[in-house]
Amino acid sequence: MSIKHSRYISAGGVPVSRQVQPCDGVVALAELTTQLDSQPGILLSCGVDYPGRYRRKDLIFVNPPVRLTGRDRRLDVCALNQRGRIMLPEFALAIAGCADLRSEFNEDQSRLVLTDLAQVDQDHQNEETRTRQPGLMRILRIIVKHFASPDDALLGLYGAFAYDLAFQFEACQLRRPRADNQRDLVLYLPDEILTIDPLSGAGERHRYEFVCRDQQGHQQVTGGLRRQVEQLSTYQAAALCEGVINADLPVSDHSAEQYISVIKQAREKFARGELFEVVPGRVFSQACREQPSAIYKRLRRNNPAPYGALMNLGSGEFLIAASPEMFVRVAGDRVESCPISGTIKRGANALQDAEQIRTLLNSPKEEAELSMCTDVDRNDKNRVCVPGTVKVIGRRQVELYSKLIHTVDHVEGRLLPEFDALDAFLSHTWAVTVTGAPKRAAMQFIEEHEKSPRRWYGGAFGSIGFDGSLDTGLTLRTIHLLDGQAHVRAGATLLHDSDPQQEEAETRLKASALLEALQPPAARPVHGEVAKCIARPSLRVLMVDHQDSFVHSLAAGLRQHGAELATYRPAQARRLLAERVFDLVVLSPGPGLPRDFDCQATLALCEQAGVPVFGVCLGLQAMVEYCGGRLMQMNEPVHGKASRIVHSDDELYAGLKSFVAGRYHSLIGTELPADLLPTAYTDDADQRLMSIRHRHLSWMAVQFHPESILSQNHTLNGLSQGERILQNVMQWAAACAPAGLKAAATGQ
C-alpha cells in the first residue's frame, strides 16, 4: 500500500510534514479503542447516515503530544510526552505579540500557562462584538491562527467544552460551588489520527511532524512520523467499598416529587412571562465496574447516534456519548445546526412507531417546543451571519433512536466576513434545547434549581480545524465517568402546558439507554447555495436589547431592508440616545415587565429627541404603559404559538391581508389611552390587541414577533409576511427621516 507525503507551513511559520498510510481500519480501530482505557485520546464516531447532514465515519487518536486545559481565563498547555515538550515553546510564540496575554513557562513540569488579562466590561459590550470579548476562546483563536493552514482538513484541536464556558460569554449569578477538579475545556492536539470508513472498513493513518522553535530560536523536529506508544496507568473501575456511590442501581439527585416541584416553579415563571421554556436536568449516578471502551462499544451498538464519542480527558475522567444533536458545524462560511425538540417514546414495532410519530407531529405542545428552539437558534446565527442568509432547510424532520423519537429542524446561515468558526460557536452557547428561552433567564433558572453544576453536560464536544472549520455535537445522552463513578444527566423541555408527571418520566426514559449501557451485555432489541445579501445601510437604527432570545433575528431582518443597526442593552442605549442622533429606535422583545428595563426612561428620551420608535412585544407593552394605558396578565400565556392577525388599513401592513404570526407573551395591553390607536387584533374570540400607533408621535408597535419562524410561513413577492412588515417599518422610518435620507432609503 502506497504512502503519501506532503508538506506545508502554517500561518504562524510552523513547517508541517504529513504522511498518509492506508491500513485495515477495523483492526486498528479495535486496538486503539481499547488503548483509550489507559491513554489520553479521543474516539469520535457518526453512527447514522442522513443525506445532506450526516455520513457514517470514525476518527480516533491516542497518546497525543499536547493537552490544553482551560478554567476561567487561564489555559494550561501541558506536554504529554517528548514530542509535546518540543512543541510547547511554539504555543508561547503564538501569543508573543499580545500585550494582554501572559505566559508562564514551567520547564520542570513541561507546561505553559496562558492567561488573558484584558479588561472585561459586559455592561457596555456592543452585542454584535460580544463573541470577541476576552477569555479562553480568545486565547484559542490566537493558537488556531498560529497553526492555521488551508492545506489540511483534518489537523486541529479535539476535545470537550464544558457548560460553564458560556459564562465567559454571558454572565450569570452562580449558586453552586464548583469543584477544584472541574475544567471548562479539555482539548488535544494530535499528531497521529486514524480515520475509518465504517461501510468499507478501509482506514488511513495520518501522521504529522512539526518543526518547532525553542526558546533560543533553534528548530527541533517533534518526530511524529516515528512516534512510539507510551503506556500509561490503566483505568480503575469502582470497588464496592470505595467512592461516594456504592449502588448497583442508579440513584437520582432529584426524587420524582422534587423534580415535579421544579417543573411547577418553572410554570409560575411561564405564567409571568419571565420564561418561555426551560430544560432543567437531574442526575442519575451509580458505581461503574467496567472499562470505558466496553461501555462505549455497548452504547454504540444499542444506540447509534450522529455524535458518538469515547474521550479519555485525563485525571481519571471520561466522556462516553451517543448524542443525537449537532451543536454547531462550520465549513467555509457556512454555519449550521440541528435543534432537536419534541420527544415521544418508541413503539414496539414499525407500526407502533408510525402511530407515535403521528401523535408527536399532531401535538401543538411539541411543535411549540421546537418552534421556540429554532427561533432562538436563528437568533444565535443572526448575531454573526449575513442578514437574510439564515434559513430553515429542514422542518420537523423525524429522527428515531433506541428509546425515543424526536423532531428536528435544520438551520443554516452564512458567516459575515469579520467572523469565524469560534464566533459561531460562542454565539450559540449553549443550545436552547438544553437551556431554554429566553436563554439567559433559563440558564439562571437552571443554576438555581439543579442540585449540582452541569460540568460537561449541555456543553459540546468535537473539533476546531486549523483550516477554519468546526464540527461539534451537543453533550447530552452522555455518561460522565469520574473516579469510578458514572453520572448521567437528563432533562425535559418544559412549557407552560407541560404535564409534570410526563416530563418527569421523560427524564428517566432519556437516561435509560445510557444506564443500560453500564450493565453487562443482555439480550435487548436494537432499534435500529444561498446568496449573500448584505443590504446597503441607509438608516441609523438603535436596537435596545431587553435580553430576549430573538433580538438578533429582528436586527437581521431590519438590516436586510436598509438598517445600519447597532444593538445595546438599555442603560448604554440611553446614554447613546442622549449623545447621538438616530433615525429609528427599536424596542426589542424581552422577558418580564417594561419596568424591569426602565422602558419609561428610554421612551422619555425618545420623545425628547423626536426619534421614530418601533416596538416589538415588550416594546408595545412599554408604549402602552408610558402613554397611560394598562397591562393585563392573560389567563394562559402564548409562547411559541401562532395566531391569525386582522388589521386596519395602516401603512405597517401595506400589501398584506390577514396573516399568521408567532406570539411569545403573557401580558396584553388594555384600556388604551386616547393617544394610542389600535391597528390590529387576533382573529379569534379573544380579539387580543396586536399592534398600535401613536396619534401624534412617530411611534408604532406590534405585540406579535415578525421575526419568528411562525411569521415566515407564507411568502409574498419573495418575502415572508413577517419580512414584509419589517420592510414596511423601514419605509415608514425613511418617510419620517430628513429629505436626503428619504431619497437614499427609497433609491430615488
Coordinates of all heavy atoms in Angstrom, one line a residue, residues 37 234-240 242-243 287-292 295 318 481 483-485:
D37 N -8.6 3.2 27.3 CA -8.9 2.9 28.7 C -7.7 3.4 29.5 O -7.9 3.7 30.7 CB -9.1 1.4 28.9 CG -10.4 0.9 28.3 OD1 -11.3 1.7 28.3 OD2 -10.4 -0.2 27.9
T234 N -3.6 2.4 34.0 CA -4.9 1.9 33.5 C -6.1 2.5 34.3 O -5.9 3.0 35.4 CB -5.0 0.3 33.7 OG1 -4.8 0.0 35.0 CG2 -3.9 -0.3 32.8
Y235 N -7.2 2.5 33.7 CA -8.4 3.0 34.3 C -8.8 2.1 35.5 O -8.8 0.9 35.4 CB -9.6 3.0 33.3 CG -10.9 3.3 33.9 CD1 -11.3 4.6 34.3 CD2 -11.9 2.3 34.1 CE1 -12.5 4.9 34.8 CE2 -13.1 2.6 34.6 CZ -13.4 3.9 35.0 OH -14.6 4.2 35.5
Q236 N -9.2 2.7 36.6 CA -9.6 2.0 37.8 C -11.1 1.9 37.9 O -11.7 3.0 38.1 CB -8.9 2.6 39.0 CG -7.4 2.6 39.0 CD -6.9 1.2 39.1 OE1 -7.4 0.3 39.8 NE2 -5.9 0.9 38.2
A237 N -11.7 0.8 37.8 CA -13.1 0.6 38.0 C -13.4 0.7 39.5 O -12.6 0.6 40.3 CB -13.6 -0.7 37.4
A238 N -14.7 1.0 39.7 CA -15.1 1.3 41.1 C -15.1 0.0 41.9 O -15.5 -1.1 41.4 CB -16.5 1.9 41.2
A239 N -14.8 0.0 43.1 CA -14.9 -1.1 44.1 C -16.1 -0.9 45.0 O -16.5 0.2 45.2 CB -13.6 -1.3 44.9
L240 N -16.6 -2.0 45.5 CA -17.8 -1.8 46.4 C -17.6 -1.0 47.6 O -18.5 -0.3 48.1 CB -18.3 -3.2 46.8 CG -19.1 -4.0 45.8 CD1 -19.3 -5.4 46.3 CD2 -20.4 -3.3 45.5
E242 N -15.5 1.6 47.8 CA -14.9 2.9 47.5 C -15.9 3.9 46.9 O -16.9 3.5 46.4 CB -13.7 2.8 46.6 CG -12.6 1.9 47.2 CD -11.5 1.7 46.2 OE1 -11.7 2.0 45.0 OE2 -10.4 1.2 46.6
G243 N -15.6 5.2 46.9 CA -16.3 6.2 46.2 C -17.6 6.6 47.0 O -17.9 6.1 48.0
A287 N -22.1 3.3 40.7 CA -20.8 2.8 40.5 C -20.6 2.2 39.2 O -21.5 1.6 38.6 CB -20.5 1.8 41.7
C288 N -19.4 2.3 38.6 CA -19.1 1.7 37.3 C -17.9 0.7 37.5 O -16.9 1.0 38.0 CB -18.7 2.8 36.4 SG -18.3 2.2 34.7
R289 N -18.2 -0.5 37.1 CA -17.2 -1.6 37.3 C -16.6 -2.1 36.0 O -15.9 -3.1 35.9 CB -17.9 -2.8 38.0 CG -18.3 -2.5 39.4 CD -19.3 -3.6 39.9 NE -19.6 -3.5 41.3 CZ -20.2 -2.5 41.9 NH1 -20.6 -1.5 41.1 NH2 -20.5 -2.4 43.1
E290 N -16.8 -1.4 34.8 CA -16.3 -1.9 33.6 C -15.4 -0.8 32.9 O -15.4 0.4 33.3 CB -17.5 -2.1 32.6 CG -18.3 -3.4 33.0 CD -19.1 -3.9 31.8 OE1 -18.5 -4.5 31.0 OE2 -20.3 -3.7 31.8
Q291 N -14.6 -1.3 32.0 CA -13.7 -0.4 31.3 C -14.5 0.5 30.4 O -15.6 0.2 29.8 CB -12.7 -1.2 30.4 CG -11.8 -2.1 31.2 CD -10.9 -1.2 32.1 OE1 -10.4 -0.2 31.7 NE2 -10.6 -1.7 33.3
P292 N -14.1 1.8 30.2 CA -14.8 2.7 29.4 C -15.0 2.2 27.9 O -16.1 2.5 27.4 CB -14.0 4.0 29.4 CG -13.2 3.9 30.7 CD -13.0 2.4 30.9
I295 N -18.0 0.0 27.7 CA -19.3 0.7 27.8 C -19.6 1.4 26.5 O -20.7 1.4 26.0 CB -19.2 1.7 28.9 CG1 -19.0 1.0 30.3 CG2 -20.5 2.5 29.0 CD1 -18.7 1.9 31.4
F318 N -13.7 10.5 32.0 CA -14.0 10.0 30.7 C -15.4 10.6 30.3 O -16.3 10.7 31.2 CB -14.1 8.5 30.6 CG -12.8 7.8 30.8 CD1 -12.2 7.7 32.0 CD2 -12.1 7.3 29.7 CE1 -11.0 7.0 32.2 CE2 -10.9 6.6 29.9 CZ -10.3 6.5 31.1
L481 N -17.8 9.6 33.4 CA -17.1 8.8 34.3 C -16.0 9.6 35.1 O -15.2 10.2 34.4 CB -16.4 7.6 33.6 CG -17.3 6.5 33.0 CD1 -16.4 5.4 32.4 CD2 -18.3 6.0 34.0
D483 N -13.5 9.0 38.5 CA -13.0 8.2 39.7 C -13.9 7.0 39.9 O -14.3 6.7 41.0 CB -13.0 9.1 40.9 CG -12.0 10.2 40.8 OD1 -11.0 10.0 40.0 OD2 -12.3 11.3 41.3
G484 N -14.3 6.3 38.9 CA -15.0 5.0 39.0 C -16.5 5.2 39.2 O -17.2 4.2 39.5
Q485 N -17.0 6.4 39.1 CA -18.4 6.6 39.3 C -19.0 7.1 38.0 O -18.4 8.0 37.3 CB -18.7 7.7 40.4 CG -18.0 7.4 41.7 CD -18.6 6.1 42.4 OE1 -19.8 5.8 42.2 NE2 -17.8 5.5 43.2

